[in-house]
Amino acid sequence: MIQKVLIANRGEIALRIIRACRELGIKTLAVYSEADVQSLHVQLADEAICIGGPRGADSYLKADRIIAAAEVADVDAIHPGYGFLSENARFAEQCEKCNIKFIGPKSKSIEMMGNKSVAKETVRKAGVPIVPGSDGPVTSEAEAIKAARKAGYPVIIKAVAGGGGRGMRIAHNDISFAKEFHVASSEAEKAFGNGAVYIEKFIEKPRHIEFQILADSHGHVIHLGERDCSVQRRHQKLIEESPSPFLTPSLRKAMGKAAVRAAEAAAYENAGTIEFLVDAKGNFYFIEMNTRIQVEHPVTEEVTGIDLVKEQIRIANGEKLGYSEAIQKGHAIECRINAEDPARNFAPSPGTIGLYYAPGGLGVRVDSHAYSGYTIPPYYDSMIGKLICFGKDRPTALRRAHRALSEFLVRGIKTTIPLHRAIMSDPIFMEGKATTAYMEDFFARTPPDVFV
Ligand code: ADP
């Protein structure tokens, strides 16, 4: 049984994992960089070990140092959170070899789903619809153009090793394709150390709808309903909600079944997410699987009442899922609060927070590592917290989010709070009509002083 967990992460997700462990009576070990000495995860864990310099590459990405810390402190398991080493198959394998439980899937599943073209082929064989495109990576320009013409323009060029919305390019004809193809592969090489790219048909104005999966080590796979993550900027999620205002019961059922089949095809274990794009007609296509806990997991927790991080730990302990389906009730919505200036093209806004006051009241949850006087280091991603609001239905959840955002005070830095407040009262969003093209349209018709 797991008695002590090393948390190989920082920020709000490290706190989230500490909270689950504490409620389960499990001891925690935080690891931290020199820039995070003042961080809450270091203060709140039972023990803490410094593993290196401020940059992620010198600390949170240093697998050997993390394993060494795990051995010194004698932990049974490592929770990787999201980002950093969470989807690194070699790290999971190293843990397996050192007899430390990796709280996540087996390294083989991470490897299979981490390569996006292998992932697509795997789920296609299991009968899950995928976006039309090249069969695997394309290497030469001639082969790539052939695949683009076959899929039909517009197409999107994506990095096989991509993630975080980076490394994607759209092309509308042969001429722009030739240029974008070379830019995409050299960008992928620089960003991911792997220049391989593949081609997909660009689905116009789709919704991004994903299904949360839980799978135990006894072969049981269930889904916990969907999250609609269509509100994105530069392919990065800003707002997530559950249920999706777009899905009908029959489409939800079909997509849920497909998601379970996809996880089964990867021999998946632990918590994971199957992401789909859904077009205006309700056709859905698998795009990728995320083999870790996600930023937006709280919306699923709010509508199902299931603590996903505790479930991850239970599954890693070899326990069986105690239920064959999860019931969803009410509506939950999450706003990602970033230290960025929405009125100045989302310029990063690191620095010291003066006053910090988080909203509260019925149905309001804030997962954040920020506090009054906290200095946000410039080395990591800009998210400083998440506001999750729950209500009996969508209008209640949206009004509650608008109210909570008005109470949320983060002085001294710029944040995305005013932008979220504007979206919560935007008629198109309120009608449930947002697709992945929503933000572009919102910016085009909204004067920036609305979110100052
Ligand atoms: P990443 O792993 O970098 O997050 P994804 O494959 O999950 O990349 O895609 C992220 C987002 O990019 C999607 O939510 C969607 O908005 C957009 N996208 C990806 N593939 C397509 C496609 N074929 N057509 C239209 N939009 C796409």
Side-chain angles (χ1 to χ4, degrees):
M1 290 297 277
I2 296 172
Q3 285 171 348
K4 189 171 179 185
V5 169
L6 180 154
I7 297 144
N9 218 300
R10 63 179 302 282
E12 68 84 22
I13 193 64
L15 290 187
R16 173 71 190 84
I17 299 162
I18 291 172
R19 287 173 176 147
C21 288
R22 197 149 278 168
E23 289 180 17
L24 289 170
I26 294 172
K27 292 261 175 267
T28 52
L29 167 71
V31 292
Y32 63 100
S33 76
E34 286 161 9
D36 273 339
V37 179
Q38 300 301 327
S39 281
L40 270 186
H41 77 287
V42 180
Q43 316 299 319
L44 292 185
D46 295 305
E47 290 171 50
I49 296 182
C50 181
I51 49 166
R55 291 187 320 133
D58 297 325
S59 48
Y60 300 104
L61 287 166
K62 283 259 184 234
D64 293 345
R65 289 199 199 153
I66 293 169
I67 301 265
E71 283 172 343
V72 169
D74 200 19
V75 308
D76 319 290
I78 296 185
H79 196 305
Y82 51 68
F84 295 123
L85 294 169
S86 61
E87 292 184 286
N88 184 314
R90 273 210 51 231
F91 180 63
E93 197 182 344
Q94 256 176 298
C95 293
E96 285 159 15
K97 280 194 183 137
C98 296
N99 238 341
I100 300 167
K101 285 196 172 107
F102 177 81
I103 303 176
K106 297 274 172 279
S107 55
K108 280 208 180 85
S109 302
I110 302 181
E111 197 164 356
M112 187 191 271
M113 301 317 259
N115 181 315
K116 290 188 171 198
S117 49
V118 175
K120 280 180 76 177
E121 186 52 21
T122 307
V123 307
R124 190 191 61 77
K125 282 195 195 136
V128 177
I130 59 170
V131 188
S134 59
D135 301 323
V138 280
T139 37
S140 71
E141 188 182 310
E143 187 193 352
I145 287 206
K146 222 169 116 191
R149 284 184 184 157
K150 195 169 145 225
Y153 287 109
V155 297
I156 183 163
I157 308 161
K158 298 169 82 172
V160 167
R166 291 169 309 151
M168 282 183 261
R169 296 256 159 185
I170 298 155
H172 290 87
N173 51 49
D174 282 358
I175 297 164
S176 69
F177 182 86
K179 184 175 137 254
E180 300 294 359
F181 172 70
H182 294 289
V183 176
S185 34
S186 74
E187 275 181 2
E189 181 66 50
K190 268 188 227 139
F192 311 110
N194 176 357
V197 295
Y198 63 104
I199 313 297
E200 266 178 9
K201 175 147 192 68
F202 181 69
I203 313 285
E204 309 251 18
K205 302 192 175 178
R207 283 172 173 79
H208 173 121
I209 298 177
E210 57 186 34
F211 276 71
Q212 176 69 51
I213 292 290
L214 280 178
D216 67 18
S217 54
H218 306 273
H220 306 127
V221 184
I222 64 160
H223 77 79
L224 289 86
E226 79 280 8
R227 294 184 287 257
D228 192 319
C229 315
S230 301
V231 178
Q232 304 179 350
R233 179 179 167 266
R234 298 194 176 159
H235 309 304
Q236 287 177 24
K237 299 164 187 167
L238 280 178
I239 294 172
E240 303 94 351
E241 62 183 307
S242 186
S244 164
F246 181 74
L247 288 194
T248 58
S250 63
L251 187 50
R252 176 173 297 118
K253 201 166 164 194
M255 290 178 72
K257 270 193 183 159
V260 168
R261 276 205 306 275
E264 284 170 347
Y268 201 75
E269 219 181 286
N270 216 285
T273 300
I274 309 290
E275 296 191 336
F276 296 102
L277 293 181
V278 187
D279 70 16
K281 292 190 191 130
N283 299 306
F284 64 90
Y285 308 95
F286 168 90
I287 47 169
E288 66 162 345
M289 177 170 198
N290 285 313
T291 56
R292 55 172 159 81
I293 192 80
Q294 282 189 277
V295 172
E296 59 271 27
H297 76 275
V299 297
T300 300
E301 296 186 322
E302 294 301 318
V303 295
T304 60
I306 292 173
D307 183 319
L308 286 168
V309 178
K310 282 189 188 166
E311 291 301 296
Q312 287 194 289
I313 297 171
R314 282 188 350 99
I315 291 169
N317 257 331
E319 289 175 46
K320 284 186 181 162
L321 287 175
Y323 37 89
S324 54
E325 65 170 336
I327 314 282
Q328 289 101 43
K329 210 178 108 203
H331 198 97
I333 184 154
E334 175 181 276
C335 299
R336 296 191 187 198
I337 314 296
N338 294 341
E340 290 169 353
D341 186 353
R344 285 184 44 238
N345 204 20
F346 293 80
S349 183
T352 299
I353 297 175
L355 176 70
Y356 173 85
Y357 176 78
L362 182 65
V364 176
R365 165 175 172 182
V366 176
D367 280 18
S368 171
H369 57 295
Y371 56 86
S372 296
Y374 174 60
T375 300
I376 302 160
Y379 308 101
Y380 315 108
D381 93 27
S382 60
M383 199 179 72
I384 56 161
K386 310 180 301 204
L387 168 71
I388 306 104
C389 291
F390 177 80
K392 66 178 182 356
D393 51 24
R394 190 169 188 267
T396 311
L398 262 53
R399 272 201 299 274
R400 185 160 282 158
H402 192 270
R403 182 273 288 172
L405 287 158
S406 316
E407 279 173 33
F408 211 146
L409 301 179
V410 186
R411 301 266 194 254
I413 58 159
K414 296 284 184 196
T415 74
T416 47
I417 292 172
L419 171 69
H420 284 299
R421 214 170 39 222
I423 296 173
M424 289 305 133
S425 54
D426 178 51
I428 295 179
F429 181 73
M430 288 167 81
E431 281 168 30
K433 290 196 175 141
T435 68
T436 62
Y438 168 77
M439 282 311 297
E440 220 172 303
D441 167 64
F442 175 87
F443 287 128
R445 61 187 164 76
T446 314
D449 57 348
V450 168
F451 34 87
V452 173

